[in-house]
């Protein structure tokens, strides 16, 4: 089984790609809505939350864990790999390299949580591929609004915070919640090119499974299960709706 974790429903944007890319596997999605948002918490707090989830997923029999949360990846993956040397961790990161590969001269806005933008891991990526035409914008509070699904508040947030960036060409969606609000971002910024890490992380998972010779029974149907830490049963409904839809 492959564990997938996020601070809520955002990681569904990753899970949708994972099930398309890795066939015959069973996925267990851990939706930690109760601790959302991770992005404004201290690194120690995020690490201790994520470590508990990892222990839970390993207990459930997961052999591999996909961190479908940019914030958790940025803050935790190095330490997790040291603490759990026998576990394969696949970690998403903001798709800033894709900008370098596909539209390097374009004016670029990186949207991510404060935790991601201030992390050593992200800053190393940014300095490596810096196109000298990039704005880093820590979207404090935005993932929380997306998690609540409050359209009015999401639109107000974007109007208030992104209007000054009209004219950018590229937008890096550096939090797995943000692909869910592409349509809302376009309302403010117009027809921008979006970059997100879900396809990259799915390909990386497939590559690593092959390298490590981790295989699944060919007769097994790809499946996914959902664990939600909040008592809100609407989350289960939204999870299924999101799994059956594509980004707007
Ligand atoms: N989905 C998350 C990410 O990719 C986390 C948002 C949050 O909990 O702050 O960063």
């Amino acid at each position: 089984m492959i564990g997938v974790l996020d601070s809520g429903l955002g990681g569904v944007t990753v899970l949708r790609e994972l099930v398309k890319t890795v066939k015959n596997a069973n996925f267990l999605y851990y939706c930690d809505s109760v601790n959302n948002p991770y992005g404004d918490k201290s690194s120690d707090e995020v690490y201790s939350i994520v470590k508990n989830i990892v222990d839970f997923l390993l207990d459930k029999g997961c052999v591999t864990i996909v961190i479908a949360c940019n914030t958790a990846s940025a803050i935790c993956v190095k330490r997790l790999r040291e603490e759990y040397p026998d576990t394969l961790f696949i970690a998403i990161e903001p798709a800033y390299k894709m900008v370098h590969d596909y539209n390097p001269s374009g004016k670029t806005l990186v949207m991510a949580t404060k935790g991601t933008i201030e992390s050593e891991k992200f800053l190393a990526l940014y300095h490596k591929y810096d196109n000298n035409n990039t704005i880093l914008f820590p979207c404090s509070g935005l993932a929380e609004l997306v998690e609540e699904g409050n359209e009015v508040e999401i639109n107000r947030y974007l109007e208030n915070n992104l209007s000054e960036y009209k004219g950018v060409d590229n937008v890096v969606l550096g939090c797995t919640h943000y692909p869910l609000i592409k349509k809302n971002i376009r309302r403010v910024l117009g027809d921008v090119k979006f970059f997100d890490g879900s396809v990259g992380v799915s390909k990386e998972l497939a590559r690593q499974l092959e390298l490590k010779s981790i295989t699944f029974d060919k007769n097994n149907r790809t499946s996914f299960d959902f664990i939600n830490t909040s008592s809100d049963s609407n989350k289960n409904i939204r999870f299924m709706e999101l799994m059956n839809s594509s980004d707007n």
Side-chain angles (χ1 to χ4, degrees):
M1 190 156 56
I2 299 175
V4 182
L5 69 90
D6 182 42
S7 68
L9 291 164
V12 174
T13 61
V14 178
L15 181 62
R16 284 193 303 222
E17 287 304 322
L18 297 173
V19 297
K20 279 194 247 165
T21 311
V22 178
K23 296 292 176 202
N24 313 111
N26 303 117
F27 292 89
L28 178 59
Y29 183 83
Y30 193 100
C31 176
D32 190 18
S33 306
V34 96
N35 287 310
N36 178 282
Y38 288 178
D40 294 321
K41 292 185 167 54
S42 72
S43 300
D44 283 348
E45 212 177 336
V46 174
Y47 188 76
S48 111
I49 292 169
V50 172
K51 184 176 163 38
N52 281 334
I53 302 174
V54 166
D55 288 335
F56 175 91
L57 291 172
L58 294 177
D59 265 8
K60 288 278 174 198
C62 293
V63 286
T64 298
I65 295 179
V66 177
I67 307 181
C69 170
N70 290 272
T71 313
S73 296
I75 293 173
C76 309
V77 75
K78 186 165 178 270
R79 212 164 137 194
L80 287 171
R81 285 181 177 140
E82 283 161 10
E83 267 193 59
Y84 300 84
D86 298 330
T87 303
L88 172 61
F89 289 100
I90 305 293
I92 195 163
E93 64 181 9
Y96 192 58
K97 180 178 181 300
M98 276 177 88
V99 168
H100 169 84
D101 292 344
Y102 295 105
N103 194 20
S105 58
K107 187 166 185 184
T108 303
L109 175 68
V110 177
M111 296 173 66
T113 66
K114 183 169 169 284
T116 298
I117 286 187
E118 290 177 354
S119 69
E120 251 176 63
K121 186 171 186 294
F122 171 71
L123 289 173
L125 176 81
Y126 168 62
H127 291 303
K128 187 163 174 195
Y129 296 107
D130 187 2
N131 70 353
N132 294 311
N133 199 8
T134 294
I135 303 140
L136 303 181
F137 184 66
C139 301
S140 285
L142 181 57
E144 211 172 338
L145 299 178
V146 180
E147 185 63 24
E148 288 162 6
N150 186 333
E151 285 281 315
V152 174
E153 289 300 324
I154 291 167
N155 287 336
R156 182 175 301 148
Y157 182 103
L158 295 174
E159 282 289 340
N160 289 342
N161 292 285
L162 295 194
S163 295
E164 66 182 286
Y165 304 122
K166 266 185 200 140
V168 296
D169 307 298
N170 306 321
V171 175
V172 175
L173 301 168
C175 164
T176 55
H177 281 71
Y178 305 162
L180 299 173
I181 55 164
K182 277 183 183 172
K183 191 180 66 197
N184 312 67
I185 296 171
R186 274 203 194 95
R187 276 185 73 231
V188 180
L189 295 181
D191 198 15
V192 293
K193 283 190 185 59
F194 287 114
F195 296 87
D196 87 75
S198 56
V199 171
V201 83
S202 304
K203 286 188 181 153
E204 180 59 11
L205 172 63
R207 203 178 70 86
Q208 289 292 339
L209 290 172
E210 200 180 328
L211 263 177
K212 307 228 163 359
S213 304
I214 301 174
T215 54
F216 305 100
D217 184 345
K218 290 252 178 317
N219 297 316
N220 192 31
R221 248 190 45 204
T222 312
S223 68
F224 51 83
D225 224 331
F226 173 77
I227 290 174
N228 173 21
T229 56
S230 90
S231 52
D232 179 359
S233 57
N234 279 328
K235 294 276 177 202
N236 300 41
I237 299 167
R238 273 191 78 210
F239 171 76
M240 281 316 295
E241 282 171 359
L242 293 172
M243 275 310 283
N244 290 319
S245 66
S246 55
D247 297 342
N248 37 50

